[in-house]
Amino acid sequence: MSSVVSAVPAASQIPEVNKDPVSCIPWPIPPPNPGLDIKYNKIFISNEWVDACDGEEIDDVNPATEKVITKVAYGKQADVDRAVAAASKAFQPSSKWRRMDASDRGVLINKLADLIDANKCYLACLESLDCGKPYTHSFFMDTGVSKILRYYAGWTDKMHGKTLPVDGDYLSYTLVQPVGVCGLILPWNVPLISLCMKIGPALCCGNTVVIKPNEQTPLSALFIASLAKEAGFPEGVFNVVPGGPEAGAAMASHSGINKISFTGSIAVGRKIEESSAKTNLKRLTLELSGNCPNIVFADADLDYAVENAHQAVFMNQGQLCTAGGRTFVQEDIYDEFVAKSVARAARRIVADPFQLHSEQGPQISQKHLDSILGYVKSGIEEGAKLECGGSRHGNTGYYMQPTVFSNVTDTMRIAKEEIFGPVQCIFKFKTVEEVIQRANNTEYGLAAGIFTKDVSVALEMAKALESGTVWVNCYNAFAVQSPFGGLKMSGKGKEMGEESLREFSDIKTVTLKLPQIQNISISTGSTVQYSTPKVSPN
Ligand code: NAD
């Protein structure tokens, strides 16, 4: 997600320089506050904070300490109903939001982006506390989302229909209109980024939204709700219902919701598709799982490829849908590549997310850590060579050792399924044809990487790989201007870029019968004279 990353600020812009307590390196960014005040933990409907209808709350846990950060309201069907009612009211044709000039919608979205920038340090701390991401990562990557909002703020008054040259005496044109109430369901691995990838285009097009963050990471969405109110979004435009599967299912089957944009697992994506089919055939954008191939040819710059392949897997604790978990390496450089990758993984610093030198924080939960350890066990049992790591790191917090497997074959479970953790599986290949076939031999199709100096190989591979995104000599190089989304079972529809606007808008055709005009004659001068319109005999 490099291009939503802000540039490192100039020294003069850094308000305060402290030292990291462990490494003693001066902070190049505002120092974090791990003990920050949690300001919002309720449901946000019509610009008001409310408890869940049944009063239920759940513990929100810090994965680095296993301690409860705060209790958060746990919404369900009745709360979704309330939020949808508010969003529907705000979408009425006479509402302030619907009557607002498109350019003023852009002003509001830009104000929200300004407020995100003004609260960047707080938001980065919140995301690190809730998800376990290193603070430097949250600061430079996750809170770079204001760029996404600014991109869509600029689009509000640039979406327009066409005038159509239809046959006959008609004027026919199209209007680009909002879809209505949109349900936005978020994952836990990139909650803030996923939120902004959805609200940017949804609000740009003039929709109203009901957001359901993942039950494990609701805090950034709740804080953004407070900023949306401060920015001046009218009541009911922006609603957040923290909750779990029940609230998500209530949204997927809700007849008041016209569109769902979902990011998460294939299993839940399938359920949403089913619910939608059984109810009101919602428009769906599904951003689902991946198990992405990253292919390194023998002519690639070896050290560069090793570092990029390492980051492709281990970034965000290995919890990225685009993680390049299947690293294919050409046989001539295989042994050297494995040795260098193992050395790099062994150097990776697993530490408290609030320490400057931390490269890897904890996994999101004990359950998820257990699932990753289960994959490691199956890899060993199926004959892959465990080169390093493979166990829990420390006793407190859900930390995992950076793990590398070599001699991985295509039929192993670690090759076929999304591990979603810091585990690199290194495969050996010989030819271009072979690696294309093996890389595509999966139900997933989210992203792929290629490292080579041969442009013709890169171009050929980019066409042949069955994935929504292909990176050449780079990885995870996201840009808000470029559409992102999976092929095959990795999803449907696109986020980001102009393409995402189509996911949140409908085209309406308007056709007017024109009076029929006969005998057009031009008099002297420039005055045009028409005869009386012919009355149709029918
Ligand atoms: P998940 O599918 O378990 O949960 C996602 C969201 O769906 C959560 O908010 C959850 O509460 C909700 N949910 C659960 N059951 C539901 C139901 N029956 N109906 C409606 N909503 C329901 O996924 P996760 O564990 O939060 O996220 C990890 C997964 O997300 C990984 O597989 C990862 O690859 C994928 N992901 C994909 C992308 C992408 O852009 N393609 C990005 C990030 C994560």
Side-chain angles (χ1 to χ4, degrees):
M1 310 202 169
S2 55
S3 82
V4 297
V5 173
S6 309
V8 177
S12 60
Q13 295 173 305
I14 300 172
E16 205 182 328
V17 177
N18 277 3
K19 284 190 175 161
D20 179 69
V22 175
S23 65
C24 293
I25 302 169
W27 282 95
I29 54 180
N33 173 14
L36 72 170
D37 254 7
I38 305 301
K39 299 175 187 163
Y40 305 101
N41 62 352
K42 295 193 177 196
I43 295 172
F44 185 77
I45 297 176
S46 276
N47 285 357
E48 298 295 336
W49 297 100
V50 295
D51 291 317
C53 289
D54 64 3
E56 187 173 348
E57 293 180 324
I58 58 162
D59 290 342
D60 186 32
V61 173
N62 177 350
T65 60
E66 304 181 33
K67 296 204 171 112
V68 175
I69 305 168
T70 180
K71 287 197 174 293
V72 177
Y74 194 66
K76 304 198 194 69
Q77 173 84 53
D79 305 289
V80 169
D81 288 346
R82 278 197 296 176
V84 173
S88 303
K89 192 170 168 206
F91 193 72
Q92 291 305 306
S94 57
S95 72
K96 192 172 169 193
W97 178 241
R98 291 298 298 282
R99 296 186 68 79
M100 186 179 285
D101 286 343
S103 61
D104 286 336
R105 283 206 305 276
V107 170
L108 280 185
I109 297 172
N110 266 325
K111 268 194 198 159
L112 181 56
D114 291 344
L115 288 168
I116 288 175
D117 286 344
N119 289 278
K120 192 173 168 67
C121 179
Y122 180 87
L123 252 176
C125 291
L126 204 56
E127 203 70 336
S128 287
L129 199 65
D130 216 8
C131 312
K133 294 166 194 274
Y135 168 72
T136 46
H137 181 120
S138 301
F139 189 89
F140 287 118
M141 190 175 102
D142 299 76
T143 57
V145 291
S146 54
K147 276 197 175 180
I148 299 180
L149 297 185
R150 291 188 203 290
Y151 173 83
Y152 287 107
W155 266 110
T156 52
D157 56 359
K158 292 162 197 76
M159 285 181 295
H160 50 76
K162 294 176 179 169
T163 308
L164 307 163
V166 296
D167 291 350
D169 295 325
Y170 299 97
L171 168 64
S172 190
Y173 62 94
T174 54
L175 292 173
V176 182
Q177 296 201 300
V179 172
V181 178
C182 298
L184 314 179
I185 304 180
L186 311 180
W188 50 257
N189 64 329
V190 281
L192 181 58
I193 292 175
S194 184
L195 170 74
C196 291
M197 281 162 74
K198 295 180 194 309
I199 60 171
L203 298 173
C204 168
C205 294
N207 299 287
T208 57
V209 299
V210 176
I211 298 153
K212 195 205 80 62
N214 189 291
E215 54 277 28
Q216 296 176 98
T217 54
L219 299 183
S220 53
L222 294 173
F223 185 66
I224 296 290
S226 78
L227 300 184
K229 180 175 179 177
E230 191 179 338
F233 282 89
E235 286 174 14
V237 171
F238 196 106
N239 307 278
V240 183
V241 181
E246 193 181 333
M251 287 168 68
S253 60
H254 207 294
S255 58
I257 294 183
N258 298 335
K259 189 215 160 66
I260 294 274
S261 177
F262 167 79
T263 299
S265 61
I266 291 178
V268 175
R270 223 186 258 281
K271 287 186 189 167
I272 290 176
E273 183 103 46
E274 270 173 30
S275 301
S276 166
K278 284 184 188 150
T279 53
N280 61 342
L281 294 173
K282 292 173 183 64
R283 283 146 195 77
L284 296 179
T285 306
L286 303 176
E287 294 293 348
L288 308 178
S289 319
N291 186 14
C292 305
N294 189 17
I295 300 161
V296 182
F297 285 89
D299 69 343
D301 177 325
L302 187 60
D303 289 334
Y304 178 80
V306 166
E307 180 61 23
N308 274 273
H310 173 83
Q311 297 299 348
V313 175
F314 292 96
M315 193 174 178
N316 210 43
Q317 295 63 249
Q319 301 167 155
L320 279 183
C321 52
T322 52
R326 290 189 294 148
T327 312
F328 287 93
V329 180
Q330 206 161 20
E331 59 180 0
D332 325 27
I333 57 163
Y334 187 82
D335 291 342
E336 201 180 350
F337 187 96
V338 169
K340 283 178 179 270
S341 298
V342 171
R344 177 63 183 93
R347 281 201 312 276
R348 189 167 185 83
I349 300 169
V350 181
D352 183 283
F354 286 105
Q355 290 178 4
L356 177 62
H357 64 296
S358 175
E359 287 185 282
Q360 184 177 309
Q363 309 308 132
I364 191 66
S365 64
Q366 182 67 53
K367 189 172 164 218
H368 189 55
L369 176 61
D370 290 343
S371 152
I372 298 166
L373 291 170
Y375 276 110
V376 171
K377 188 162 172 279
S378 84
I380 295 167
E381 284 168 0
E382 291 186 312
K385 183 172 176 207
L386 180 65
E387 297 275 358
C388 67
S391 305
R392 182 177 185 153
H393 170 99
N395 301 319
T396 306
Y398 314 121
Y399 293 93
M400 170 85 196
Q401 294 174 344
T403 300
V404 178
F405 275 113
S406 64
N407 298 344
V408 185
T409 58
D410 298 354
T411 54
M412 293 175 182
R413 201 174 142 229
I414 54 171
K416 291 197 291 190
E417 296 177 19
E418 181 192 47
I419 301 174
F420 221 52
V423 180
Q424 184 173 29
C425 298
I426 311 185
F427 303 68
K428 191 187 283 184
F429 77 92
K430 281 188 185 168
T431 67
V432 172
E433 295 71 27
E434 173 206 339
V435 78
I436 290 173
Q437 189 275 327
R438 290 173 62 195
N440 287 343
N441 186 19
T442 167
E443 63 186 12
Y444 303 104
L446 193 58
I450 304 163
F451 286 82
T452 177
K453 291 192 183 117
D454 187 332
V455 176
S456 53
V457 167
L459 296 181
E460 182 66 26
M461 297 278 302
K463 267 198 289 181
L465 288 172
E466 295 168 357
S467 61
T469 294
V470 177
W471 290 296
V472 180
N473 292 330
C474 56
Y475 205 91
N476 278 333
F478 287 91
V480 63
Q481 300 83 358
S482 307
F484 172 76
L487 307 184
K488 295 158 76 175
M489 284 183 61
S490 288
K492 49 170 69 173
K494 298 290 176 197
E495 296 203 294
M496 304 207 286
E498 188 180 346
E499 282 71 9
S500 188
L501 298 169
R502 299 198 190 110
E503 306 278 328
F504 286 98
S505 59
D506 273 333
I507 301 289
K508 180 185 283 178
T509 301
V510 181
T511 301
L512 284 79
K513 179 83 172 92
L514 295 175
Q516 288 170 305
I517 295 167
Q518 281 193 327
N519 302 332
I520 298 176
S521 61
I522 300 179
S523 67
T524 50
S526 59
T527 316
V528 179
Q529 293 182 339
Y530 305 99
S531 67
T532 317
K534 184 178 84 181
V535 178
S536 162
N538 303 319

